[in-house]
Amino acid sequence: MGQSVSETPASILIIDDHPLLRRGVGQLLELEDDLQLVGETGEPEQGVRLAAELDPDMILLDLNMPGMDGIQTLKALRESGYAGRIVMFTVSDHEEDLLAALRGGADGYLLKDMEPEEMVRQLRQAALGRMVVSENLTALLAEALRNQRTAPATPDIHSLTQREREILRELAAGLSNKLIARKLDISEGTVKVHVKHLLKKLNLRSRVEAAVWAVQEGIDDR
């Protein structure tokens, strides 16, 4: 049923305090040859430990959990050195939650009311290194970024070097640092440095914000 993304399936860890949801997602993933559930927990602290132990390709992370919430867990994962994909999986379509997650280092934000087939498609895209945001949230994100902009801080494409513009175009296409590095034939570390510089120059706080802004401005046009 699933199409092959690579020789080995993309490994996924679920951190969500609802046992039925974890079981449902697990059963859904069992039907796919290219996505594999390697661990699951309802305890955020244990999730951080499992991420270090299993080093999964991707973590599906609930936003609203008792005790340590999803944003705190996200930050703890990034601070612990986890470099894989982290996709928030939540019922919240609130703008502040979406922005907090993306600024905290999430690679995607999916709503729990999506169809199972759409969820699998989005996870497959995330496994390929692409950014994923539920379709009905992209307009909300773009509007939020517009509203937060003040005149002196408006991003200016002309402040970027040629290489930074190239990397921004690939960010707009949803590519991860690893895929950008491969495409431009440079190291992943070099890509990270360029991304950091271009975010600072554009006065943006996350790669997803940069991608949305670039798409809005037509900078992703080839």
PDB file of all heavy atoms in Angstrom, residues 126-141:
ATOM      1  N   ALA A 126       6.804  14.678   5.379  1.00  0.00           N
ATOM      2  CA  ALA A 126       7.712  15.054   6.474  1.00  0.00           C
ATOM      3  C   ALA A 126       8.924  14.131   6.500  1.00  0.00           C
ATOM      4  O   ALA A 126      10.057  14.569   6.718  1.00  0.00           O
ATOM      5  CB  ALA A 126       6.975  15.000   7.812  1.00  0.00           C
ATOM      6  N   ALA A 127       8.694  12.847   6.241  1.00  0.00           N
ATOM      7  CA  ALA A 127       9.788  11.873   6.224  1.00  0.00           C
ATOM      8  C   ALA A 127      10.776  12.175   5.101  1.00  0.00           C
ATOM      9  O   ALA A 127      11.965  11.880   5.199  1.00  0.00           O
ATOM     10  CB  ALA A 127       9.237  10.454   6.066  1.00  0.00           C
ATOM     11  N   LEU A 128      10.276  12.789   4.034  1.00  0.00           N
ATOM     12  CA  LEU A 128      11.141  13.165   2.912  1.00  0.00           C
ATOM     13  C   LEU A 128      11.928  14.442   3.204  1.00  0.00           C
ATOM     14  O   LEU A 128      12.738  14.878   2.396  1.00  0.00           O
ATOM     15  CB  LEU A 128      10.297  13.370   1.646  1.00  0.00           C
ATOM     16  CG  LEU A 128       9.774  12.095   0.977  1.00  0.00           C
ATOM     17  CD1 LEU A 128       8.716  12.439  -0.067  1.00  0.00           C
ATOM     18  CD2 LEU A 128      10.917  11.320   0.346  1.00  0.00           C
ATOM     19  N   GLY A 129      11.658  15.043   4.367  1.00  0.00           N
ATOM     20  CA  GLY A 129      12.390  16.251   4.735  1.00  0.00           C
ATOM     21  C   GLY A 129      11.635  17.522   4.431  1.00  0.00           C
ATOM     22  O   GLY A 129      12.192  18.611   4.477  1.00  0.00           O
ATOM     23  N   ARG A 130      10.359  17.393   4.104  1.00  0.00           N
ATOM     24  CA  ARG A 130       9.576  18.589   3.774  1.00  0.00           C
ATOM     25  C   ARG A 130       8.767  19.085   4.976  1.00  0.00           C
ATOM     26  O   ARG A 130       8.387  18.317   5.835  1.00  0.00           O
ATOM     27  CB  ARG A 130       8.639  18.310   2.594  1.00  0.00           C
ATOM     28  CG  ARG A 130       9.404  18.023   1.317  1.00  0.00           C
ATOM     29  CD  ARG A 130       8.482  17.828   0.129  1.00  0.00           C
ATOM     30  NE  ARG A 130       9.254  17.558  -1.074  1.00  0.00           N
ATOM     31  CZ  ARG A 130       9.813  18.478  -1.843  1.00  0.00           C
ATOM     32  NH1 ARG A 130       9.691  19.748  -1.531  1.00  0.00           N
ATOM     33  NH2 ARG A 130      10.502  18.152  -2.917  1.00  0.00           N
ATOM     34  N   MET A 131       8.511  20.393   4.969  1.00  0.00           N
ATOM     35  CA  MET A 131       7.723  21.013   6.013  1.00  0.00           C
ATOM     36  C   MET A 131       6.249  20.686   5.766  1.00  0.00           C
ATOM     37  O   MET A 131       5.796  20.716   4.627  1.00  0.00           O
ATOM     38  CB  MET A 131       7.971  22.517   5.903  1.00  0.00           C
ATOM     39  CG  MET A 131       7.012  23.423   6.561  1.00  0.00           C
ATOM     40  SD  MET A 131       7.483  25.123   6.160  1.00  0.00           S
ATOM     41  CE  MET A 131       6.785  25.321   4.525  1.00  0.00           C
ATOM     42  N   VAL A 132       5.501  20.352   6.821  1.00  0.00           N
ATOM     43  CA  VAL A 132       4.075  20.047   6.652  1.00  0.00           C
ATOM     44  C   VAL A 132       3.229  20.873   7.619  1.00  0.00           C
ATOM     45  O   VAL A 132       3.517  20.942   8.802  1.00  0.00           O
ATOM     46  CB  VAL A 132       3.784  18.536   6.852  1.00  0.00           C
ATOM     47  CG1 VAL A 132       4.384  17.719   5.725  1.00  0.00           C
ATOM     48  CG2 VAL A 132       4.292  18.015   8.192  1.00  0.00           C
ATOM     49  N   VAL A 133       2.215  21.523   7.078  1.00  0.00           N
ATOM     50  CA  VAL A 133       1.261  22.283   7.880  1.00  0.00           C
ATOM     51  C   VAL A 133      -0.124  21.974   7.321  1.00  0.00           C
ATOM     52  O   VAL A 133      -0.306  21.982   6.102  1.00  0.00           O
ATOM     53  CB  VAL A 133       1.532  23.809   7.810  1.00  0.00           C
ATOM     54  CG1 VAL A 133       0.464  24.587   8.571  1.00  0.00           C
ATOM     55  CG2 VAL A 133       2.913  24.148   8.356  1.00  0.00           C
ATOM     56  N   SER A 134      -1.084  21.675   8.196  1.00  0.00           N
ATOM     57  CA  SER A 134      -2.446  21.392   7.736  1.00  0.00           C
ATOM     58  C   SER A 134      -2.905  22.494   6.793  1.00  0.00           C
ATOM     59  O   SER A 134      -2.719  23.683   7.080  1.00  0.00           O
ATOM     60  CB  SER A 134      -3.413  21.274   8.916  1.00  0.00           C
ATOM     61  OG  SER A 134      -3.287  20.021   9.542  1.00  0.00           O
ATOM     62  N   GLU A 135      -3.524  22.075   5.705  1.00  0.00           N
ATOM     63  CA  GLU A 135      -3.865  23.002   4.617  1.00  0.00           C
ATOM     64  C   GLU A 135      -4.651  24.215   5.090  1.00  0.00           C
ATOM     65  O   GLU A 135      -4.379  25.339   4.680  1.00  0.00           O
ATOM     66  CB  GLU A 135      -4.665  22.241   3.554  1.00  0.00           C
ATOM     67  CG  GLU A 135      -4.661  22.942   2.214  1.00  0.00           C
ATOM     68  CD  GLU A 135      -5.302  22.094   1.126  1.00  0.00           C
ATOM     69  OE1 GLU A 135      -5.174  20.855   1.181  1.00  0.00           O
ATOM     70  OE2 GLU A 135      -5.944  22.677   0.256  1.00  0.00           O
ATOM     71  N   ASN A 136      -5.614  23.997   5.996  1.00  0.00           N
ATOM     72  CA  ASN A 136      -6.443  25.124   6.428  1.00  0.00           C
ATOM     73  C   ASN A 136      -5.719  26.061   7.396  1.00  0.00           C
ATOM     74  O   ASN A 136      -6.278  27.058   7.832  1.00  0.00           O
ATOM     75  CB  ASN A 136      -7.753  24.626   7.058  1.00  0.00           C
ATOM     76  CG  ASN A 136      -7.531  23.606   8.150  1.00  0.00           C
ATOM     77  OD1 ASN A 136      -6.500  22.939   8.177  1.00  0.00           O
ATOM     78  ND2 ASN A 136      -8.482  23.476   9.053  1.00  0.00           N
ATOM     79  N   LEU A 137      -4.465  25.748   7.738  1.00  0.00           N
ATOM     80  CA  LEU A 137      -3.697  26.615   8.637  1.00  0.00           C
ATOM     81  C   LEU A 137      -2.694  27.496   7.898  1.00  0.00           C
ATOM     82  O   LEU A 137      -2.157  28.430   8.476  1.00  0.00           O
ATOM     83  CB  LEU A 137      -2.947  25.771   9.679  1.00  0.00           C
ATOM     84  CG  LEU A 137      -3.808  25.055  10.722  1.00  0.00           C
ATOM     85  CD1 LEU A 137      -2.916  24.263  11.664  1.00  0.00           C
ATOM     86  CD2 LEU A 137      -4.669  26.030  11.509  1.00  0.00           C
ATOM     87  N   THR A 138      -2.428  27.207   6.635  1.00  0.00           N
ATOM     88  CA  THR A 138      -1.398  27.969   5.915  1.00  0.00           C
ATOM     89  C   THR A 138      -1.808  29.432   5.741  1.00  0.00           C
ATOM     90  O   THR A 138      -0.997  30.338   5.890  1.00  0.00           O
ATOM     91  CB  THR A 138      -1.089  27.339   4.543  1.00  0.00           C
ATOM     92  OG1 THR A 138      -2.318  27.120   3.844  1.00  0.00           O
ATOM     93  CG2 THR A 138      -0.364  26.022   4.703  1.00  0.00           C
ATOM     94  N   ALA A 139      -3.101  29.673   5.462  1.00  0.00           N
ATOM     95  CA  ALA A 139      -3.584  31.053   5.317  1.00  0.00           C
ATOM     96  C   ALA A 139      -3.504  31.778   6.655  1.00  0.00           C
ATOM     97  O   ALA A 139      -3.132  32.947   6.727  1.00  0.00           O
ATOM     98  CB  ALA A 139      -5.020  31.066   4.791  1.00  0.00           C
ATOM     99  N   LEU A 140      -3.845  31.052   7.743  1.00  0.00           N
ATOM    100  CA  LEU A 140      -3.766  31.617   9.090  1.00  0.00           C
ATOM    101  C   LEU A 140      -2.337  32.025   9.417  1.00  0.00           C
ATOM    102  O   LEU A 140      -2.083  33.097   9.966  1.00  0.00           O
ATOM    103  CB  LEU A 140      -4.260  30.582  10.104  1.00  0.00           C
ATOM    104  CG  LEU A 140      -4.190  30.974  11.589  1.00  0.00           C
ATOM    105  CD1 LEU A 140      -5.298  31.962  11.927  1.00  0.00           C
ATOM    106  CD2 LEU A 140      -4.320  29.740  12.468  1.00  0.00           C
ATOM    107  N   LEU A 141      -1.385  31.164   9.055  1.00  0.00           N
ATOM    108  CA  LEU A 141       0.024  31.441   9.320  1.00  0.00           C
ATOM    109  C   LEU A 141       0.497  32.662   8.540  1.00  0.00           C
ATOM    110  O   LEU A 141       1.159  33.551   9.085  1.00  0.00           O
ATOM    111  CB  LEU A 141       0.867  30.214   8.950  1.00  0.00           C
ATOM    112  CG  LEU A 141       2.386  30.333   9.118  1.00  0.00           C
ATOM    113  CD1 LEU A 141       2.746  30.687  10.556  1.00  0.00           C
ATOM    114  CD2 LEU A 141       3.072  29.039   8.706  1.00  0.00           C
TER     115      LEU A 141
END
